[in-house]
Amino acid sequence: MTTKKLLYTLNGTRFDVPAIWLMRQAGRYLPEYRELRALKGGFLELVNDSEAAAEVTMQPIRRFGFDGAILFSDILVIPHAMGQDLWFEAGEGPRLAPRLVDQALDTLSAVPERLSPVYETVRRVASALSPETTFLGFAGSPWTVATYMMAGQGSKEQAEARRYAYRDEAAFQAIIDAIIDMTVDYLSGQIVAGVDAVQLFDSWSGSLSPAQFERWVIAPTVRIVEALKARHPDTPIIGFPKGAGGKLPAYARETGVNALGLD
């Protein structure tokens, strides 16, 4: 019988030889990736080209035979679908506009069809993967996504988002709520299209105090996990609150995720 070792592991099965996958499996270390990216012209062009994104997802599986394939996409497809413009500056990274420190959330008009290429990528990969390879989808967690939406780009200390959350908790909560709603639909769409499990990346959770962490990381994660488990009770969810440190036990106890990513 063919066993998806990583999927079984996420559901609590122990193996003498552990399942292996790498979070940044696809990327610049592979010459075949560099060749394809040069052909397509940039990162976002790759993400939105389902055939190319599926190829990038499969490249490290073909080369190394990992137990899990991780969808090739980006966490900022969510703000893009919520109505912000998204582009990548060469050598500097992603940019979003308008910045939500300058403009209210209700001025954005959602464009959920911008997520369609991701679902097509999932379908292509799911049909091509070997039966023993677990397929992992993902999204950014609401706090991390909100920091990009507020500042229009990444920042080491997330100052704009933290100041805004202090200054107007209700308005910031509304942004978090909107991200939660879009993220639940997005991850559900990935599951329907063929992923076996999903992961929530909270790249900037380490900058928050315990009280902020409870409100802006744990509480939104609980809502996403509960909504996804209502729709897809058999799909494992991995939570990765990067930099959580001593706040990690509370995250593990309270969120309901099936597994933790540790840094």
Side-chain angles (χ1 to χ4, degrees):
M1 182 182 72
T2 301
T3 298
K4 290 190 175 187
K5 183 186 282 188
L6 179 54
L7 183 60
Y8 274 69
T9 299
L10 293 173
N11 283 313
T13 302
R14 293 175 179 266
F15 294 92
D16 292 336
V17 178
I20 293 175
W21 70 285
L22 302 178
M23 188 171 71
R24 294 185 180 272
Q25 264 173 204
R28 69 192 82 178
Y29 74 97
L30 289 177
E32 55 265 45
Y33 168 83
R34 294 198 300 270
E35 181 180 343
L36 185 58
R37 178 160 174 170
L39 180 66
K40 294 298 178 181
F43 180 80
L44 199 57
E45 288 76 13
L46 275 180
V47 168
N48 287 323
D49 183 326
S50 299
E51 182 179 0
E55 168 63 18
V56 173
T57 303
M58 294 293 297
Q59 284 173 348
I61 306 303
R62 292 196 202 103
R63 190 181 269 260
F64 302 114
F66 293 125
D67 294 297
I70 181 75
L71 171 68
F72 181 76
S73 186
D74 192 84
I75 66 170
L76 298 185
V77 296
I78 286 288
H80 195 216
M82 291 173 66
Q84 285 184 304
D85 294 327
L86 171 64
W87 70 98
F88 281 73
E89 295 283 355
E92 296 185 16
R95 297 290 186 270
L96 291 164
R99 304 188 317 158
L100 292 189
V101 291
D102 303 323
Q103 196 156 323
L105 175 67
D106 61 12
T107 63
L108 300 181
S109 296
V111 194
E113 57 268 26
R114 287 175 171 172
L115 298 173
S116 297
V118 179
Y119 303 141
E120 177 59 22
T121 299
V122 172
R123 286 189 285 269
R124 286 172 177 266
V125 174
S127 67
L129 277 177
S130 62
E132 67 270 15
T133 306
T134 300
F135 189 11
L136 301 171
F138 73 93
S141 291
W143 163 253
T144 287
V145 172
T147 67
Y148 284 94
M149 294 182 76
M150 300 302 299
Q153 62 186 65
S155 58
K156 286 188 176 181
E157 297 183 358
Q158 300 81 55
E160 290 89 347
R162 292 165 70 188
R163 280 196 295 266
Y164 192 97
Y166 274 123
R167 185 172 68 245
D168 194 337
E169 284 192 358
F172 192 73
Q173 184 68 59
I175 293 168
I176 293 290
D177 291 345
I179 296 170
I180 289 170
D181 291 343
M182 184 68 76
T183 301
V184 169
D185 287 344
Y186 177 50
L187 290 176
S188 180
Q190 291 184 35
I191 293 165
V192 169
V195 301
D196 299 307
V198 294
Q199 176 158 278
L200 286 163
F201 285 91
D202 223 331
S203 306
W204 300 124
S205 68
S207 65
L208 295 173
S209 70
Q212 292 172 315
F213 187 87
E214 188 74 34
R215 176 156 189 181
W216 304 126
V217 174
I218 289 179
T221 302
V222 169
R223 289 172 55 189
I224 292 171
V225 169
E226 288 179 347
L228 283 177
K229 287 189 178 296
R231 297 188 194 183
H232 311 282
D234 298 325
T235 302
I237 301 169
I238 307 166
F240 181 37
K242 185 173 180 288
K247 301 183 285 287
L248 194 60
Y251 184 98
R253 284 193 308 269
E254 297 172 26
T255 59
V257 296
N258 299 83
L260 294 176
L262 303 178
D263 63 294

